[in-house]
Amino acid sequence: MATVLVYLTVMAAVVASAAFGAAELTADYYSETCPHALSTIKLLVGAAILREPRMGASLVRLHFHDCFVNGCDGSILLDDTDDMIGEKTAKPNNNSIRGYDVIDTIKSAVNTVCLGNVVSCADIVAVAARDSIVALGGTSYDVLLGRRDATTASIDDANNDIPNPFMDLPALVSNFESHGLSLHDLVVLSGGHTLGYSRCLFFRSRLYNETDTLDPAYAASLDERCPPSGDDEALTSLDDTPTTVDTDYYQGLMQGRALLHSDQQLYQGGGGDADALVKYYGEKPSKFWEDFAAAMVKMGNLSPLTGDEGEIRENCRVVNQE
Ligand code: HEM
Ligand SMILES: *[C@@H]1O[C@H](CO)[C@@H](O)[C@H](O)[C@H]1NC(C)=O
Ligand SMILES: *[C@@H]1O[C@H](CO)[C@@H](O)[C@H](O)[C@H]1NC(C)=O
């Protein structure tokens, strides 16, 4: 009887820790093992943004695309091998995700200050995203830490699990729901588009489509940058202030000036739930900063590897050798 009870108790603990893996992450995870890890990451993120202000945007997006494919496990950083085609060449990432070299620089500096391989690549990506947001005017938040790194990556999972800019609202909502995120999370996290740029190939179809709701004056201003053919790589900012964390993104949506179709889907003027949230954040910057920080924590907690799952990669691009 006692044995059965012990067994049940152990099983309950196992089930609980599997279901609430994120609960194992803690803000002070490295405070004993590497007290200078976080300050080192912050310094190097700051330096990268000074060199190129867009890098902050790129690091935020890197974290998003890591988390949406089998959880925040650093899988996006793995280079292809003879046996594995990873996430880097998947459609949403190929020639699009940036910042791999910044992460490499941070990882080797952190290995040095920690006197060893202590901090996971997945945690570095999560902290770099937070430090980017703070450097560009957002509110700070504690990143929960202790993620471990994946030993595999999948191009198919990246192609299937990351939303694309041609999706309508229901598809965006169901994509976010598949990651345990709500419509509210979708609207808040899309506020990440307060930073950075998109290439012409992702919004061209809107410019030459008579039935699109894009503001005509804005559309005209984009025509030159993004012609009917060619210039696929030409960049346009996702809001008017691409290096500042502010609510111009939401203001733009309300004016029919969203760059991506998927962004405009969040505000269609029909008075739906998404419209109301866009209006709320557009009018209340302090709420946006606060809720964006909380939503980044929530996104950062998606299915982390913890305990003895995965590994701490020595080099973020390759799985450790046996
Ligand atoms: C809701 C669904 C989303 C879609 C369909 C989407 C799509 C896109 C696309 C197409 C680009 C331009 C990529 C390129 O031109 O190569 C982009 C850029 C960006 N996205 Fe998203 N995104 C979404 C959500 C998010 C979220 C949740 C975040 C972060 C919290 C985010 C952060 C960014 C940032 C910062 C950039 C600019 C990156 C840079 O300039 O390097 N996006 N997104
Ligand atoms: C990724 O981009 C490169 C360079 O533009 C291209 O040659 C390659 O075919 C692309 N890979 C995939 C899988 O689309
Ligand atoms: C043009 O816009 C309409 C309405 O948004 C959409 O249904 C249609 O698929 C678009 N066509 C192209 C070629 O993008």
Side-chain angles (χ1 to χ4, degrees):
M1 186 65 196
T3 327
V4 171
L5 263 182
V6 168
Y7 175 78
L8 284 177
T9 311
V10 169
M11 284 314 290
V14 169
V15 170
S17 75
F20 305 106
E24 294 176 33
L25 302 179
T26 52
D28 61 355
Y29 192 81
Y30 298 111
S31 62
E32 300 285 322
T33 53
C34 188
H36 301 300
L38 297 189
S39 55
T40 304
I41 299 171
K42 184 176 184 176
L43 191 75
L44 292 172
V45 167
I49 292 174
L50 270 183
R51 216 163 33 241
E52 190 210 6
R54 183 186 174 195
M55 189 50 71
S58 305
L59 291 170
V60 172
R61 186 164 183 247
L62 180 66
H63 182 44
F64 162 50
H65 283 207
D66 184 29
C67 292
F68 264 48
V69 184
N70 300 316
C72 313
D73 61 359
S75 54
I76 194 171
L77 304 172
L78 287 173
D79 285 340
D80 293 354
T81 67
D82 291 344
D83 308 321
M84 182 198 81
I85 303 183
E87 297 167 21
K88 288 183 174 179
T89 53
K91 278 196 213 100
N93 296 339
N94 200 24
N95 303 313
S96 184
I97 287 290
R98 310 171 71 247
Y100 299 121
D101 44 351
V102 173
I103 298 298
D104 288 341
T105 303
I106 294 173
K107 174 67 181 175
S108 83
V110 167
N111 284 355
T112 303
V113 301
C114 302
L115 307 175
N117 181 29
V118 172
V119 182
S120 69
C121 298
D123 277 347
I124 289 175
V125 170
V127 173
R130 187 271 315 270
D131 291 345
S132 296
I133 289 165
V134 173
L136 298 173
T139 295
S140 193
Y141 55 93
D142 283 343
V143 180
L144 300 181
L145 298 165
R147 296 171 192 76
R148 291 167 62 85
D149 296 322
T151 52
T152 57
S154 156
I155 185 172
D156 291 335
D157 291 347
N159 278 325
N160 292 329
D161 298 350
I162 299 171
N164 74 60
F166 309 106
M167 284 178 166
D168 289 337
L169 184 60
L172 293 166
V173 169
S174 83
N175 174 280
F176 271 61
E177 277 175 354
S178 75
H179 297 287
L181 298 169
S182 63
L183 169 78
H184 196 144
D185 296 323
L186 166 67
V187 174
V188 177
L189 287 168
S190 293
H193 289 176
T194 182
L195 296 175
Y197 298 81
S198 173
R199 289 174 298 158
C200 160
L201 79 171
F202 285 129
F203 60 87
R204 168 182 290 126
S205 54
R206 307 193 63 203
L207 301 181
Y208 306 102
N209 183 341
E210 306 263 308
T211 59
D212 199 287
T213 54
L214 193 58
D215 170 62
Y218 181 57
S221 76
L222 296 174
D223 285 357
E224 261 176 69
R225 300 161 164 275
C226 189
S229 68
D231 284 351
D232 280 4
E233 310 293 312
L235 296 174
T236 297
S237 62
L238 289 159
D239 80 352
D240 287 342
T241 52
T243 56
T244 313
V245 176
D246 59 19
T247 52
D248 287 3
Y249 165 76
Y250 296 106
Q251 295 288 343
L253 301 194
M254 289 191 280
Q255 295 158 12
R257 293 164 58 93
L259 189 61
L260 303 178
H261 171 81
S262 51
D263 287 326
Q264 197 62 69
Q265 282 291 300
L266 304 179
Y267 189 88
Q268 301 176 63
D273 292 348
D275 283 19
L277 288 164
V278 167
K279 188 163 182 286
Y280 174 75
Y281 290 115
E283 290 168 357
K284 296 192 176 57
S286 63
K287 289 292 177 197
F288 170 61
W289 284 318
E290 189 181 323
D291 292 358
F292 184 57
M296 287 298 291
V297 174
K298 190 169 175 187
M299 186 178 85
N301 289 347
L302 293 180
S303 314
L305 299 174
T306 55
D308 56 7
E309 299 167 319
E311 62 182 19
I312 308 289
R313 247 178 256 148
E314 172 81 31
N315 171 340
C316 294
R317 291 174 185 264
V318 296
V319 170
N320 295 341
Q321 303 304 305
E322 293 306 312

